[in-house]
Amino acid sequence: MFGLVKKTKTPADVCKSLHTALNNTDGIKPPPANGKDAAHYLAQAKAFVVSSEQEEVQPETVLELAAAMAREGLAPLLIRKLPLLSFEGRKDIGVVLGRVLRVEKQAQSFKVTRTLAANGSELIGKLISGYDTDDTSVSLNCGVVLREFATIPMLVPLLVNHEDLFKFFEYVQHEGFETSADAFASFSAALTSDKPIVCKMLLDKYDSFFSSYRQLLESENYVTRRQSLKLLGQILMEKANQDVMMKYIVSPSNLVLIMTLLRDSSKSIQYEAFQVFKIFVANPSKPPQIIDMLIQNKEKLILYLSNFQNDRYASSHIVDERMGLERASPGIDGELLGGAAGRIRNSRRRR
């Protein structure tokens, strides 16, 4: 937008000018007229963190910019003013903050990180609310910054435990594909960030979280169902989430839901449902209700699994997983999964 940017000023000079420009940016004029000066200085700041063909940026230069940003309290201001800037300005905020946070993490120097953490609740709320707007350049660039937050140990607890985190259950079902996909990427980043912190949140808010999550698994939108089911499998199979997994797999209603998804018309969803279903079956401490459900549906399940994705998966890892479950979980488990695997092996011999 502004052509090639020459680094004629020091990082301190640029940050001072950018701070003044941002404070002069209001919501009266529409972008790009509003915040034009701020976008100009943001482009100059970006030149200190992004290498060009002529010059490779060194970490020391990024840290110099970070120190100047911290002195000016610039990072929180960038997030507050993001919706008011032009398209290029919003993109540059994500680039500058992302690069600065990553280099600070590597150098164990957290000047900018601390300014963000000090205002963490407010700033995360603003970033999450970016998905409320119909302007995708706002929501997508808010998402870029949120996903950077999910990689910074000092910021992760503020994100995972934020009161607005559950708004993602709404945002991932946004009618706009770009917005819903980006929201899911941010939601997933939060839920797969710091494992102990995520586990504690899931246990503390288990009922409300999984009640809302069930709505995603029952969504009429194919992409929402598939992504949510895959993420569920990742959450349950994460070693740190064992207590969460055990609560989930002793619920008959959860088993009914997963068995229903096994019959989905999409083979991708069937496959992801199988990944969760096998956790129920392999549980050595199944409660009586779960055992009764498996016994009542044993013949149907064996028949279903005997023909489960033969054309796509039966020749490789699906059979191996069934055989592994049969060895690890004798009895009903073996009959359901190992018996099905045996039928597939026999059918392959006949072919």
Side-chain angles (χ1 to χ4, degrees), residues 76 79-80 118-127 162:
I79 292 174
R80 293 180 186 119
N119 301 272
S121 182
E122 174 216 345
L123 299 177
I124 290 171
K126 287 186 178 298
L127 290 170
H162 198 276

Side-chain angles (χ1 to χ4, degrees), residues 4 13-14 24 31 63 65 78 89 94 100 123 166 183 185 189 192 213 250 261 265 269-270 278 314 325:
L4 293 175
D13 292 334
V14 171
N24 291 332
L63 291 173
L65 178 68
L78 286 171
V100 165
L123 299 177
F166 280 28
T192 55
Y213 205 95
V250 297
L261 289 168
S265 59
I269 290 178
Q270 291 175 12
K278 68 185 184 184
L325 279 170

Side-chain angles (χ1 to χ4, degrees), residues 28 39 58 62 74 107 113 123 182 225 249 299 324:
I28 300 175
Q58 299 300 316
V62 180
L74 201 52
T113 306
L123 299 177
D182 196 85
R225 289 199 314 281
I249 63 174
E299 294 302 323

Side-chain angles (χ1 to χ4, degrees), residues 29-78:
K29 298 176 184 177
N34 188 48
K36 186 175 181 179
D37 288 343
H40 173 68
Y41 292 118
L42 262 170
Q44 290 189 343
K46 186 173 73 170
F48 289 110
V49 301
V50 177
S51 298
S52 64
E53 293 181 359
Q54 293 77 27
E55 183 178 359
E56 182 176 352
V57 171
Q58 299 300 316
E60 292 77 13
T61 304
V62 180
L63 291 173
E64 185 181 351
L65 178 68
M69 289 176 64
R71 286 194 299 270
E72 297 292 334
L74 201 52
L77 191 57
L78 286 171

Side-chain angles (χ1 to χ4, degrees), residues 108-326:
Q108 294 294 292
S109 172
F110 301 107
K111 292 182 173 65
V112 168
T113 306
R114 288 192 182 97
T115 66
L116 293 170
N119 301 272
S121 182
E122 174 216 345
L123 299 177
I124 290 171
K126 287 186 178 298
L127 290 170
I128 292 176
S129 68
Y131 289 108
D132 276 326
T133 178
D134 292 330
D135 189 334
T136 56
S137 75
V138 172
S139 58
L140 300 188
N141 285 294
C142 283
V144 168
V145 180
L146 275 172
R147 291 190 289 279
E148 289 294 344
F149 277 29
T151 68
I152 308 299
M154 194 181 299
L155 301 176
V156 167
L158 303 173
L159 173 59
V160 172
N161 295 300
H162 198 276
E163 60 183 0
D164 290 342
L165 184 71
F166 280 28
K167 288 185 177 180
F168 277 107
F169 288 116
E170 174 187 347
Y171 298 145
V172 300
Q173 299 186 79
H174 192 279
E175 60 183 11
F177 176 76
E178 280 187 300
T179 298
S180 64
D182 196 85
F184 194 90
S186 297
F187 194 35
S188 178
L191 294 176
T192 55
S193 53
D194 187 294
K195 296 176 177 61
I197 291 173
V198 171
C199 180
K200 185 176 186 309
M201 183 277 289
L202 292 175
L203 288 172
D204 289 345
K205 302 178 180 178
Y206 181 88
D207 290 337
S208 57
F209 180 89
F210 282 102
S211 174
S212 297
Y213 205 95
R214 186 183 187 92
Q215 296 176 24
L216 301 184
L217 297 173
E218 294 176 332
S219 171
E220 294 182 0
N221 184 285
Y222 160 75
V223 175
T224 300
R225 289 199 314 281
R226 179 175 59 80
Q227 290 183 324
S228 302
L229 188 54
K230 184 173 183 178
L231 179 58
L232 175 65
Q234 292 173 347
I235 291 172
L236 296 182
M237 286 188 277
E238 170 55 54
K239 185 176 180 180
N241 291 334
Q242 183 175 1
D243 290 342
V244 177
M245 178 195 73
M246 292 307 298
K247 287 193 70 171
Y248 191 87
I249 63 174
V250 297
S251 165
S253 64
N254 289 339
L255 178 57
V256 170
L257 174 60
I258 298 305
M259 288 169 62
T260 300
L261 289 168
L262 276 172
R263 302 195 302 271
D264 194 276
S265 59
S266 164
K267 289 189 175 182
S268 295
I269 290 178
Q270 291 175 12
Y271 173 71
E272 298 300 343
F274 176 78
Q275 301 307 305
V276 179
F277 174 72
K278 68 185 184 184
I279 305 176
F280 283 88
V281 176
N283 177 17
S285 303
K286 289 185 282 292
Q289 285 181 294
I290 297 294
I291 294 175
D292 289 344
M293 288 178 62
L294 292 174
I295 291 175
Q296 290 170 10
N297 292 277
K298 184 178 69 172
E299 294 302 323
K300 291 179 181 179
L301 284 167
I302 289 176
L303 179 61
Y304 172 81
L305 293 172
S306 295
N307 298 299
F308 181 62
Q309 301 200 351
N310 288 350
D311 56 335
R312 185 176 177 185
Y313 295 111
S315 61
S316 56
H317 56 287
I318 289 289
V319 171
D320 294 336
E321 287 181 345
R322 290 168 179 161
M323 293 172 66
L325 279 170
E326 179 182 13

